[in-house]
Amino acid sequence: MRGITRRFLLGAAGSTAAIAPALVPAWAQPAYPTRAVSLVSPAAPGSQTDIFSRTLAAPLAQRLGRPVVVENRPGAGGIVGTLATVRAAPDGHTILYASNSGFLISPHLRRPPPYNTPRDLMPIAITLSGPSVIVVNQNVAATTIGDFVTELRANPGKYNLGSHGVGAFSHVAMEMFMAQTRTEMVHLPYNGGGPLGAAFLSGDVHVALLDVLTARPLIASGRGRVLATVGERRSPIFPDAPLVSETVAPGLAMDFWLGLLAPAGTPIEIVERLHNEINAITMGAEGRARAAEVSMLTDPLPLPALRAKVEREWEEWGRVIRDRNILST
């Protein structure tokens, strides 16, 4: 799980699962929505995704004029909640809020995938996105990503790669890294960020892909060193860390991101309405401030570009998972 600040948590604590609608006269009510909107969070209460969904629910309810109810459906790396959305009526009253791990990575870990995201879901908007950084501990001598790749090629299997679990973004992105750089590390999956951080500090893990917020204290304390950035753009927190896509892995430019999707067949007018309302929230002053608190960016792609992104990433994640034979445990 990605780190979050105490102030961010406190700001979200006042949100409740059911958000009261704004006072809109009956004659002014739009054709959509006609009742409460269910915002499916495929994560446990109190998780980062859950907190983000609740901070979005309040302003979205105000803009829609109807309650927005956060419905937690955790399980199977996001598959349980995503499947519930896929099977819901395509009328805009059930929408999914999740990370790309849940709807683009997790399904490929099953044979066959339980759903096909580009076919079964319609992307609505991205709310947060950001790069991650490759961090090594003090047992790694390399100071550049090029030197590290050279060391890995000379010593396959010598270094331990830690992740947040089998199939997590931090795992599959680094499998893509190894495939593209023709290197091999021993994968050590951990159950979340806490155990992974402890293993990194103890020296059991030599390298990990971390979000910027988690990496900052490790770098500041001298207990970790950033070699490169995995994402579509460099991080403003670590501007000198080059992108792997501009150095050792030209095909690896994948951000971690969170977004909203609706069941396939949802009328385009409803998708466009939600797209515009959510982008207005995330691009507002409060939305930008909350994104900055977790060292992420708002990323309001137009709908055609967002659909193309989902289709492209679905294929890319699926290919590396098949090629590397990664299966859910």
Side-chain angles (χ1 to χ4, degrees):
M1 182 189 300
R2 296 183 161 222
I4 52 179
T5 64
R6 181 174 181 271
R7 185 160 64 93
F8 187 85
L9 282 168
L10 291 174
S15 299
T16 59
I19 306 300
L23 296 177
V24 179
W27 56 265
Q29 289 286 358
Y32 166 82
T34 59
R35 61 182 187 275
V37 174
S38 176
L39 187 61
V40 177
S41 172
S47 65
Q48 185 188 52
T49 299
D50 173 67
I51 290 171
F52 288 151
S53 66
R54 292 174 189 277
T55 60
L56 178 66
L60 183 58
Q62 292 174 351
R63 299 185 74 91
L64 293 178
R66 294 285 181 176
V68 174
V69 181
V70 175
E71 183 179 351
N72 293 98
R73 293 208 175 189
I79 286 178
V80 172
T82 305
L83 264 178
T85 307
V86 167
R87 294 167 177 166
D91 57 9
H93 291 92
T94 300
I95 55 178
L96 175 75
Y97 184 62
S99 74
N100 54 345
S101 290
F103 54 81
L104 292 176
I105 296 177
S106 289
H108 287 295
L109 304 175
R110 276 75 175 172
R111 303 288 193 275
Y115 48 84
N116 179 303
T117 297
R119 180 195 66 204
D120 298 330
L121 292 163
M122 298 178 68
I124 296 170
I126 292 178
T127 61
L128 295 167
S129 69
S132 303
V133 287
I134 298 175
V135 181
V136 295
N137 67 15
Q138 295 172 325
N139 296 323
V140 177
T143 58
T144 69
I145 192 63
D147 289 344
F148 186 51
V149 168
T150 299
E151 172 69 10
L152 291 176
R153 288 175 178 167
N155 299 280
K158 175 182 176 180
Y159 293 94
N160 293 337
L161 165 69
S163 80
H164 297 83
V166 174
F169 180 89
S170 58
H171 171 212
V172 183
M174 289 303 288
E175 292 282 355
M176 191 180 290
F177 171 84
M178 289 188 285
Q180 294 192 16
T181 58
R182 303 184 306 281
T183 58
E184 289 296 335
M185 291 179 276
V186 177
H187 176 226
L188 301 180
Y190 291 87
N191 186 22
L196 172 60
F200 184 89
L201 292 175
S202 71
D204 291 338
V205 165
H206 301 104
V207 58
L209 182 67
L210 302 175
D211 65 277
V212 173
L213 198 65
T214 301
R216 288 180 75 176
L218 292 174
I219 309 310
S221 67
R223 293 175 292 179
R225 185 166 63 256
V226 172
L227 295 186
T229 304
V230 172
E232 299 178 3
R233 71 219 107 183
R234 293 194 187 195
S235 166
I237 307 300
F238 299 111
D240 296 329
L243 294 171
V244 293
S245 60
E246 63 188 9
T247 51
V248 297
L252 178 51
M254 306 289 261
D255 280 337
F256 176 86
W257 55 275
L258 297 103
L260 295 102
L261 302 95
T266 301
I268 188 61
E269 295 82 5
I270 292 177
V271 172
E272 289 175 344
R273 166 91 187 273
L274 289 167
H275 173 80
N276 293 333
E277 301 291 11
I278 291 163
N279 282 344
I281 294 167
T282 58
M283 292 303 293
E286 186 174 355
R288 289 176 180 270
R290 284 178 169 165
E293 286 189 19
V294 291
S295 296
M296 298 182 77
L297 302 171
T298 53
D299 199 0
L301 289 180
L303 279 172
L306 179 55
R307 284 192 290 267
K309 178 182 179 69
V310 168
E311 291 171 359
R312 181 180 69 253
E313 292 193 8
W314 174 263
E315 295 299 327
E316 291 176 351
W317 289 123
R319 185 180 308 113
V320 70
I321 289 168
R322 291 189 298 271
D323 291 349
R324 304 287 290 185
N325 195 31
I326 305 170
L327 294 172
S328 178
T329 56

